[in-house]
Amino acid sequence: MRAGRLRTGLKGWGGVGAMAFACVLAVLAALLLPAVPWHGGGGGSGRDGAADDGHGATHGSQARAAQECTDPEKQTLAPSGDDGPTIDRIRAREGEKRKLIVGVDQNSFRWGYRDPNSGGDAELEGFDIDLAHRIAKDVLGDEDAVQFKAIPTDQRVPAIQDGRVDMVVRTMTINCDRLEDVAFSAPYFRTGQQVLAPKSSKITGYDGTLAGKEICTAAGSTALSTLEQDQKDGRLAEGVDLRTTVPNQLDCLVRLQLGEVDAVVTDGALAASQAAQDPTVELKGDAFTTEYYGVAMKKDADDLVRRVNRVLEQWRADRADGWQHSYEEWLSETMDDPAKSLPPTPQYLRGS
């Protein structure tokens, strides 16, 4: 750490308080939530893994759409309640293993995290966790029939491809590159990349004030790929240092608190939650991209993709216990307007 840049005098949730919260989350997660191995595993699925096949009639059209991708959030299959080989395989798991296996985050405040103040086993909670329970209820008839596996940001795609999870519900942006490797549901949340920095910083946003600054991003994140491309194309301020990457997004907040970096770039929805953990930092400037979160699954799991899209339509329409309810419970305190976060009416692949 460059000691000369260490920030001091942080109070309340800032500094020691937020760092303690982050550390507690990390310790609880390590003790209570099984982590997905970071190394690549053998493909295939036994009864414990995700489905291996399940080719649908439109799988070829999905592959072509990914290759010709211009609007990634529209490259998904129409909703359906029909069963198929992927869902059949999930339901065929026996006994305690008859659960939907979902890759999630374990330390993103308000999205997927364990509240250290909740007592007991500190169960996972948050916006993404609500959605995972909703999908489990539809597929298996029990919202608690879900096994959560902690996945670092850069392991979301490998975990799906290797069959370690049935799906990933982890603030995962739908983009064209990822569509080459996994299938996505329709969007369930709209966000965009933003800059997070100390309130005392002279950084004003994604502009020239970043010149010569060191930025932290999560490995495998849309933020990192966007910054790298902008740097290559000359759209990023001169001299920006992108070498600091971390496995999980919360680690960037800790690096910022320690003075090891000048700013963090991440989805605005996540940045708002991090600012809620530490009032000495704030969002700087407006979002400079528009992105959509989706549920990621295997490319050939057409029946599961369709089922999830049906769940999303129902979740969005459910005014009592749906999208709006989860937003108000988890995100309303950190984000100002749900209308900005609700994605547009889904559009599906033609002929699907």
Side-chain angles (χ1 to χ4, degrees):
M1 182 185 75
R2 291 170 292 182
R5 292 172 55 188
L6 180 62
R7 290 165 52 219
T8 59
L10 304 182
K11 299 180 181 180
W13 267 101
V16 175
M19 288 167 61
F21 181 83
C23 291
V24 169
L25 283 178
V27 171
L28 282 170
L31 292 174
L32 299 175
L33 187 63
V36 171
W38 289 23
H39 58 275
S45 72
R47 291 178 302 187
D48 300 336
D52 280 334
D53 21 79
H55 294 273
T58 58
H59 178 59
S61 65
Q62 279 185 287
R64 288 192 298 273
Q67 293 172 359
E68 303 167 0
C69 179
T70 54
D71 297 306
E73 70 277 6
K74 301 176 184 178
Q75 309 302 323
T76 190
L77 299 172
S80 173
D82 294 340
D83 295 338
T86 309
I87 293 175
D88 289 343
R89 224 179 316 272
I90 294 170
R91 289 177 176 169
R93 293 168 184 159
E94 298 177 356
E96 294 183 356
K97 295 182 179 180
R98 191 175 184 273
K99 293 182 178 181
L100 184 71
I101 304 172
V102 183
V104 296
D105 202 349
Q106 58 184 350
N107 54 21
S108 285
F109 188 50
R110 300 286 184 175
W111 286 92
Y113 77 114
R114 296 185 185 276
D115 184 353
N117 298 314
S118 64
D121 293 334
E123 294 184 358
L124 275 168
E125 55 189 28
F127 190 88
D128 279 347
I129 305 305
D130 281 1
L131 176 54
H133 282 299
R134 184 91 176 206
I135 297 171
K137 183 176 182 179
D138 185 273
V139 173
L140 294 172
D142 180 0
E143 66 178 14
D144 293 323
V146 54
Q147 178 185 347
F148 293 116
K149 287 193 175 184
I151 300 180
T153 303
D154 62 355
Q155 288 297 300
R156 292 176 294 189
V157 169
I160 295 168
Q161 293 179 318
D162 296 343
R164 289 174 276 166
V165 297
D166 298 312
M167 63 183 61
V168 167
V169 185
R170 192 190 182 283
T171 58
M172 189 170 178
T173 296
I174 305 168
N175 63 38
C176 293
D177 288 341
R178 289 172 180 163
L179 277 171
E180 296 180 2
D181 300 315
V182 298
F184 275 100
S185 71
Y188 67 86
F189 203 89
R190 176 168 51 194
T191 185
Q193 297 298 319
Q194 282 189 268
V195 176
L196 183 74
K199 289 181 177 178
S200 59
S201 172
K202 295 182 179 180
I203 293 172
T204 59
Y206 195 67
D207 52 31
T209 60
L210 290 175
K213 303 299 185 183
E214 186 169 349
I215 296 176
C216 181
T217 57
S221 66
T222 307
L224 178 58
S225 60
T226 299
L227 292 175
E228 289 177 335
Q229 188 63 49
D230 281 1
Q231 191 172 61
K232 180 179 178 180
D233 296 341
R235 293 192 295 266
L236 187 60
E238 185 177 355
V240 172
D241 188 342
L242 302 178
R243 290 176 296 175
T244 302
T245 61
V246 295
N248 290 297
Q249 187 58 53
L250 184 65
D251 298 334
C252 277
L253 177 60
V254 176
R255 295 290 184 95
L256 187 64
Q257 291 167 335
L258 293 174
E260 295 180 354
V261 296
D262 300 294
V264 174
V265 172
T266 185
D267 307 342
L270 293 177
S273 293
Q274 292 184 16
Q277 292 174 247
D278 184 351
T280 69
V281 302
E282 65 182 2
L283 293 170
K284 300 283 189 175
D286 297 327
F288 56 92
T289 65
T290 298
E291 300 173 8
Y292 300 93
Y293 294 154
V295 179
M297 292 153 278
K298 273 197 171 184
K299 285 185 69 68
D300 53 8
D302 290 1
D303 57 320
L304 189 58
V305 172
R306 292 179 184 277
R307 180 62 66 89
V308 170
N309 282 341
R310 189 184 75 157
V311 171
L312 289 176
E313 287 199 342
Q314 295 171 342
W315 193 45
R316 181 170 173 161
D318 185 352
R319 306 300 295 181
D321 192 29
W323 190 97
Q324 184 73 30
H325 177 269
S326 290
Y327 185 97
E328 291 173 355
E329 181 172 4
W330 301 113
L331 305 177
S332 60
E333 292 183 8
T334 60
M335 305 184 71
D336 56 355
D337 183 2
K340 295 179 181 179
S341 302
L342 185 67
T345 301
Q347 296 186 42
Y348 306 104
L349 289 171
R350 292 182 179 179
S352 68

